[in-house]
Amino acid sequence: MNFKECMTQLEAMGTAQNRKVYARHGVTGKQFGVSCGNYGKLKKQIKSDHDLALKLWASANHDARIMATMIVEPKKLKSSEIDAWAKDIEGYPITDAFSGVVSKTPFAVKKMEQWTNRKGEWISSVGWNLVASLAQNSETLDDAFFEQQLERIEDGIHAAPNRTRHAMNLTLICIGCRNPKLEKKTLAVAKRIGKVEVDHGETGCKTPDAADYIKKTLAYRAKNKTSGKKTKR
């Protein structure tokens, strides 16, 4: 599938209702309003196409950029290309999708270290999303690394930008679910932090209580383990 064909399909899949919904979730600029299900259908057709992904991102269309994150080959992305994409981030839907791509590149830790220190709401959110991903998936980072992140979250979460607070709260949850030692430390940090306030705008989204979410997640895993079901970390 070439660029023109892909854009034509995306436009045909868009709806006015979805555009209104996405606007409430902070999507600005050009968009068609494609549903998650239709993204998935198009992904099945294309599978992976790195060159097409680069062209879709360059279009500056929100739906095309979401599609780009779904078909790009992360390990082929250069550090400079990741930085270029990062400059285009606007709004949390594309922030979350972009975070998922960067987490699969060899530059995840390096970018995390850079971006969690940024003042910008979106790029710092990506940085903390990467910490959350590393907590879930890294088999090489030790507890000391995540303990350092807990200290940073405790010191800075309430003064951070709105969506960055949301990402930091998610990171608390992911670190707390990594292993029993970090669970204990994270629950203590979450208690000292208290309630995390995030403005979700005109949406039904809510900010989960980190301590409660950690306990429920671990209880769910323990139940599935007992019943023989496989669960992700």
Side-chain angles (χ1 to χ4, degrees), residues 118-134:
R118 296 282 184 85
K119 293 182 179 180
E121 181 176 19
W122 307 123
I123 194 62
S124 59
S125 293
V126 176
W128 286 107
N129 284 346
L130 290 176
V131 180
S133 179
L134 290 167

Side-chain angles (χ1 to χ4, degrees):
M1 184 179 296
N2 62 36
F3 171 76
K4 184 176 180 180
E5 291 169 339
C6 187
M7 291 296 285
T8 298
Q9 288 208 38
L10 286 169
E11 184 173 12
M13 290 173 171
T15 69
Q17 179 58 31
N18 282 340
R19 290 193 289 274
K20 290 179 182 179
V21 171
Y22 294 154
R24 289 200 297 270
H25 284 267
V27 175
T28 59
K30 296 184 291 183
Q31 63 157 317
F32 297 132
V34 180
S35 69
C36 294
N38 280 326
Y39 282 130
K41 291 177 183 178
L42 197 53
K43 160 70 176 174
K44 287 182 179 179
Q45 289 183 48
I46 300 171
K47 296 183 174 61
S48 295
D49 190 327
H50 191 75
D51 291 337
L52 176 58
L54 296 178
K55 292 175 183 177
L56 289 172
W57 189 275
S59 72
N61 178 286
H62 171 77
D63 300 279
R65 283 181 168 169
I66 291 291
M67 199 69 237
T69 66
M70 297 176 73
I71 64 172
V72 73
E73 296 179 57
K75 288 181 172 55
K76 288 186 178 181
L77 279 173
K78 301 174 183 176
S79 178
S80 58
E81 289 174 326
I82 293 172
D83 289 338
W85 281 26
K87 291 178 181 178
D88 294 329
I89 296 296
E90 292 181 346
Y92 69 84
I94 195 67
T95 295
D96 292 347
F98 175 66
S99 301
V101 172
V102 182
S103 71
K104 297 180 179 70
T105 72
F107 309 105
V109 174
K110 178 181 178 182
K111 299 304 180 186
M112 175 279 297
E113 291 172 343
Q114 295 173 352
W115 295 342
T116 52
N117 288 309
R118 296 282 184 85
K119 293 182 179 180
E121 181 176 19
W122 307 123
I123 194 62
S124 59
S125 293
V126 176
W128 286 107
N129 284 346
L130 290 176
V131 180
S133 179
L134 290 167
Q136 291 178 301
N137 301 307
S138 176
E139 297 180 357
T140 57
L141 292 171
D142 59 18
D143 286 355
F145 170 84
F146 293 105
E147 288 167 2
Q148 182 182 28
Q149 308 315 314
L150 289 176
E151 291 176 6
R152 296 178 64 205
I153 292 171
E154 183 175 358
D155 290 342
I157 191 168
H158 290 304
N162 187 56
R163 288 301 303 190
T164 309
R165 294 196 296 276
H166 180 78
M168 294 169 89
N169 192 61
L170 170 66
T171 302
L172 270 181
I173 294 169
C174 293
I175 294 176
C177 292
R178 185 172 170 86
N179 62 46
K181 179 183 176 183
L182 287 173
E183 176 195 357
K184 182 177 180 180
K185 288 182 176 293
T186 303
L187 290 176
V189 169
K191 183 176 181 180
R192 291 194 295 270
I193 287 173
K195 187 175 182 179
V196 178
E197 300 285 354
V198 178
D199 181 1
H200 293 278
E202 300 177 18
T203 73
C205 299
K206 296 181 180 180
T207 303
D209 178 271
D212 285 347
Y213 205 93
I214 290 168
K215 292 173 184 176
K216 288 177 182 178
T217 300
L218 294 176
Y220 177 78
R221 290 181 185 174
K223 180 180 179 181
N224 282 343
K225 186 177 182 180
T226 301
S227 64
K229 293 180 180 180
K230 292 183 178 180
T231 59
K232 294 182 179 179
R233 171 182 281 176

